Amino acid sequence: MYKLNCIGILTSGGDAPGMNAAIRSVTRAAIFNHIRVKAIYRGYKGLITGEIKEFHTEDVSNIIQRGGTILKTARCQEFTTPEGRKIAYETMVREEIDALVVIGGDGTFTGARIFAQEYNVPIVGLPGTIDNDLCGTDSTIGYDTALNTIVEAVDKIRDTANSHERLFFVEVMGRDAGFLALNSALASGAEAAIIPEEQTNEEQLEELIKNGFRKSKNSSIVIVAEGGGGATALAERMKRDYPTFDARVTILGHLQRGGTPTAYDRIIASRMGVAAIDALLDEQRSVMVGLVHDELVLVPFTKAIKDDKPINKSKIGVLQILSI
């Protein structure tokens, strides 16, 4: 049993649209339940350096529509060490923080799980990552916005592809997960998606060519998940092995992380934030709030950070059918 008088909230890892909506939700849900809120800046780094400020309801006014995170985020090598985590715990004791809500991805939850084990700290996580690569949730905060950002960019690239009769490789984020690549390819009418869940990039390229890629089309767009050399390596191979193709590369990069969150991301962030406080009040710990079939669920950190979240490969068949 523990008395929940004060919670700490932080964002860690890569930023994702909707994080601010989650910060707002957690803060106001805590205050609604008469719990004080301490905002921890720059992720676990702020927990070590003591960069902490008490939040009131007005501190989270007018942020639901903003991208990024008002709490900032930073990688923290020191938190990966026992010495760093000891300092972090001492900060929590000094600041009278009873529990944590952490918003981030697998790295964030990995650190939280270890910290919770070592110091018996109640921690609830919210899935904030554009990659959608956490097990136990259909969607992560920021994924929908990033997907829409990619589709909007590809729509514009297609105008140039058509005008110049070119093949474009468009590289998107998702080094180990092809959710952004596959679904943005479907939504933008791309001819193919090259994703890490399938064969190697080179094998997938061979498959495209073998299947009569482009056929009678005067332009084509292939969405490529980053990693394994990404779009640049594929374009170079294309020029070398298939010189008849006029290939170009567009790397969307950090463009995908920014921007105003979609309504969907704002809604799930708001729902998950309230659920995080409810979970702490129910004395839950070391769990992530997930969304399955539009219902909120609690997923143990150990399950959430497995690196094998399955992708729906039937969508690859849909993409192949529609690309003729």
Side-chain angles (χ1 to χ4, degrees):
M1 289 285 290
Y2 64 93
K3 181 67 176 165
L4 193 59
N5 294 313
C6 177
I7 64 146
I9 180 172
L10 61 84
T11 53
S12 175
D15 63 309
M19 279 185 165
N20 285 326
I23 293 165
R24 172 183 179 269
S25 177
V26 170
T27 299
R28 292 192 169 173
I31 292 169
F32 178 84
N33 285 285
H34 311 291
I35 301 165
R36 293 167 64 205
V37 179
K38 295 281 183 81
I40 302 159
Y41 286 82
R42 293 176 177 82
Y44 293 124
K45 186 175 181 181
L47 201 54
I48 291 171
T49 61
E51 196 173 354
I52 295 170
K53 172 191 171 185
E54 183 153 1
F55 261 21
H56 305 282
T57 188
E58 60 270 19
D59 289 298
V60 293
S61 295
N62 200 34
I63 68 168
I64 193 170
Q65 79 281 11
R66 289 169 59 183
T69 164
I70 63 167
L71 295 183
K72 313 299 182 189
T73 181
R75 312 282 179 186
C76 183
Q77 196 60 36
E78 198 175 350
F79 193 75
T80 65
T81 68
E83 297 77 16
R85 292 191 294 273
K86 183 173 185 292
I87 296 169
Y89 180 69
E90 289 167 353
T91 302
M92 281 188 65
V93 173
R94 185 173 64 251
E95 292 284 343
E96 300 180 326
I97 296 171
D98 303 308
L100 292 176
V101 176
V102 300
I103 307 168
D106 56 357
T108 301
F109 296 160
T110 299
R113 184 179 64 81
I114 296 167
F115 189 49
Q117 283 178 336
E118 287 178 343
Y119 293 100
N120 198 29
V121 176
I123 306 178
V124 172
L126 298 186
T129 168
I130 67 168
D131 291 340
N132 197 31
D133 58 350
L134 292 167
C135 289
T137 187
D138 293 341
S139 189
T140 55
I141 297 166
Y143 170 65
D144 185 66
T145 305
L147 192 57
N148 280 279
T149 298
I150 293 167
V151 171
E152 187 179 343
V154 173
D155 287 347
K156 292 175 180 176
I157 291 166
R158 191 177 285 284
D159 291 342
T160 295
N162 285 336
S163 298
H164 293 271
E165 299 186 326
R166 283 175 180 158
L167 160 63
F168 268 84
F169 288 108
V170 181
E171 183 176 301
V172 301
M173 287 184 170
R175 179 170 283 104
D176 301 309
F179 295 96
L180 282 173
L182 181 54
N183 287 302
S184 64
L186 275 171
S188 63
E191 278 63 44
I194 292 181
I195 59 174
E197 290 85 351
E198 286 290 280
Q199 316 130 290
T200 67
N201 287 4
E202 290 76 14
E203 288 171 332
Q204 290 180 73
L205 183 61
E206 297 281 0
E207 194 78 17
L208 285 175
I209 302 301
K210 189 179 76 179
N211 290 339
F213 182 58
R214 291 219 311 178
K215 305 179 186 72
S216 61
K217 295 189 176 185
N218 64 0
S219 72
S220 291
I221 290 178
V222 176
I223 311 292
V224 183
E226 66 182 346
T232 302
L234 285 177
E236 287 173 356
R237 177 145 191 231
M238 201 78 170
K239 287 174 186 174
R240 186 183 72 239
D241 297 347
Y242 308 99
T244 56
F245 288 90
D246 185 8
R248 293 290 189 275
V249 172
T250 299
I251 299 173
L252 297 184
H254 287 84
L255 171 77
Q256 298 159 84
R257 284 198 193 279
T260 301
T262 59
Y264 182 77
D265 274 332
R266 299 184 201 194
I267 291 165
I268 65 169
S270 298
R271 293 176 64 195
M272 287 176 172
V274 172
I277 298 302
D278 287 343
L280 288 171
L281 288 168
D282 286 342
E283 299 188 24
Q284 300 285 340
R285 53 178 67 212
S286 295
V287 293
M288 175 194 81
V289 179
L291 190 72
V292 178
H293 304 310
D294 204 38
E295 295 291 333
L296 293 171
V297 296
L298 297 179
V299 184
F301 282 153
T302 49
K303 180 181 176 184
I305 58 183
K306 283 182 180 174
D307 59 359
D308 58 352
K309 180 176 179 177
I311 198 164
N312 185 348
K313 292 191 177 181
S314 69
K315 292 180 180 178
I316 298 171
V318 174
L319 188 58
Q320 289 170 343
I321 292 167
L322 300 181
S323 67
I324 62 170

